[in-house]
Amino acid sequence: AATAPRVPSAALALQNFDMNYGLQFGEAWPSVRVGLLSEQKYGALVNGFADVDLVSQELELLNAADFVSEGLRKAQRLQQGSVVEAAEREQSGSQEVAGERQAAELPPPSALVTPNIKCYTFPRGDITRFRAARPDVLGILNYYLLDAASILPVLALNIQPGDFVLDLCAAPGGKTLAILQTGLCGCLAANDVSISRTKRLQQVLNSYVPKQRRETVCVTSWDGRNWEELESSTFHKVLVDVPCTADRHSVMEEENNIFHKRRSKERQMLPMLQLQLLVAGILATVPGGEVVYSTCSLSQLQNEYVIE
């Protein structure tokens, strides 16, 4: 053991994914693998507390586009196409029209997307990096750089005016900041079990959110699994963005890699931790409220099986 070559944690992660995801994805895995090993593509979340129009203009001059509004327009075009096609089939007496009419009666995409969130990305295939954010005259930074996919759980929350929102595993703060961009929260609780990570969350809030608006955010360092001891059946929307294998990080970085041999037991216990956090999120939600569960992993054990 003393003389055996040390296998890097990232290599161990990739070996694990080749074995498990190879079975899970089959013929699609080589393509997914290339994506996983590609350089991370960042998005620029526009800070609504800065000059939004000015920031948006500057980003558009770089040939970046707001993927949230682009996706919305695409969804609207697809739905309009379905409506037209259903009408044409109805005129021709098609037996499939009942199902298509039902699809056409779904709520418009605009009703399913949280407003006010703008996140700019460069075109497909372009991995140009945005420059560091700059403060405005009030000292507020103009945008926050994050993995663009991190916006999706916040959009799925579909926050409504006056909603009480809980971000159960909030640090380092990108999703918390995105939640604030909606301008709809009646109250926002941002929690993370790690005190050091909670300090990072607080730094993000201090850099991006005016003081008077920060006063509406309650930041705590509590074990999310025990949230019911603080309060239960309180929140209209709960985001449970759980600790996970963080697949891209695991195959790209050695620092803080959960595939380090010393962390094998921690890694094996992840699904149980995730389940406990999800249950805590459900217990924190008012009857009729909504919970969004999200990970940075492709693993069915950490996603579908936890939900089941």
Side-chain angles (χ1 to χ4, degrees):
T3 58
R6 177 178 173 273
V7 180
S9 301
L12 288 175
L14 190 56
Q15 290 173 12
N16 180 286
F17 295 160
D18 280 335
M19 180 174 62
N20 292 294
Y21 294 162
L23 292 173
Q24 180 178 327
F25 292 102
E27 294 180 355
W29 169 237
S31 178
V32 176
R33 190 182 196 268
V34 169
L36 196 62
L37 291 169
S38 297
E39 187 172 349
Q40 185 173 10
K41 183 165 183 171
Y42 285 93
L45 173 65
V46 176
N47 186 8
F49 301 109
D51 187 333
V52 175
D53 291 337
L54 179 60
V55 176
S56 298
Q57 289 173 8
E58 291 178 351
L59 294 173
E60 288 167 6
L61 286 174
L62 299 174
N63 197 34
D66 175 21
F67 85 85
V68 179
S69 59
E70 280 197 345
L72 179 59
R73 284 194 293 269
K74 182 177 180 180
Q76 288 172 331
R77 288 196 300 269
L78 288 172
Q79 189 173 54
Q80 288 168 358
S82 296
V83 172
V84 171
E85 186 177 352
E88 291 174 348
R89 287 175 182 254
E90 185 168 14
Q91 289 176 353
S92 64
S94 170
Q95 296 298 313
E96 300 175 11
V97 71
E100 297 208 7
R101 186 187 298 115
Q102 186 178 19
E105 290 172 355
L106 289 172
S110 58
L112 304 175
V113 176
T114 303
N116 303 329
I117 293 180
K118 291 180 176 292
C119 186
Y120 281 78
T121 57
F122 289 105
R124 185 172 183 174
D126 184 346
I127 54 172
T128 303
R129 289 181 176 266
F130 293 99
R131 64 185 179 188
R134 295 173 299 173
D136 62 12
V137 292
L138 299 177
I140 299 295
L141 295 178
N142 54 2
Y143 55 73
Y144 181 88
L145 298 180
L146 78 175
D147 190 317
S150 297
I151 297 298
L152 301 180
V154 178
L155 296 176
L157 276 176
N158 191 26
I159 299 169
Q160 300 299 308
D163 275 352
F164 281 31
V165 181
L166 168 63
D167 189 352
L168 193 60
C169 309
K175 295 182 181 68
T176 304
L177 183 61
I179 289 171
L180 284 172
Q181 299 307 308
T182 67
L184 299 174
C185 297
C187 171
L188 173 59
N191 176 74
D192 199 277
V193 66
S194 168
I195 294 178
S196 61
R197 284 169 58 86
T198 304
K199 289 181 180 178
R200 167 62 180 148
L201 167 64
Q202 194 68 65
Q203 289 172 354
V204 168
L205 294 176
N206 291 342
S207 299
Y208 286 87
V209 184
K211 182 177 179 180
Q212 64 271 21
R213 190 66 182 87
R214 292 199 302 268
E215 293 173 353
T216 66
V217 183
C218 177
V219 178
T220 54
S221 295
W222 190 260
D223 187 335
R225 294 173 292 182
N226 303 323
W227 187 267
E228 190 181 18
E229 296 176 16
L230 287 181
E231 51 191 344
S232 61
S233 302
T234 304
F235 298 92
H236 302 98
K237 304 290 170 64
V238 176
L239 175 59
V240 186
D241 184 54
V242 294
C244 65
T245 48
D247 293 355
R248 184 191 292 275
H249 176 88
S250 292
V251 297
M252 301 289 275
E253 304 287 344
E254 285 299 305
E255 184 179 356
N256 197 32
N257 194 312
I258 199 166
F259 280 86
H260 191 286
K261 290 183 177 180
R262 294 177 183 173
R263 301 182 69 185
S264 58
K265 187 172 183 180
E266 178 187 353
R267 187 174 71 252
Q268 292 163 6
M269 294 300 293
L270 274 175
M272 179 56 69
L273 171 63
Q274 293 161 344
L275 176 61
Q276 292 169 331
L277 287 167
L278 176 55
V279 170
I282 293 170
L283 293 175
T285 311
V286 299
E290 298 177 43
V291 178
V292 171
Y293 173 85
S294 62
T295 75
C296 300
S297 172
L298 299 169
S299 169
Q300 289 179 321
L301 286 174
Q302 299 175 63
N303 291 292
E304 290 90 339
Y305 293 170
V306 171
I307 300 297
E308 288 174 8

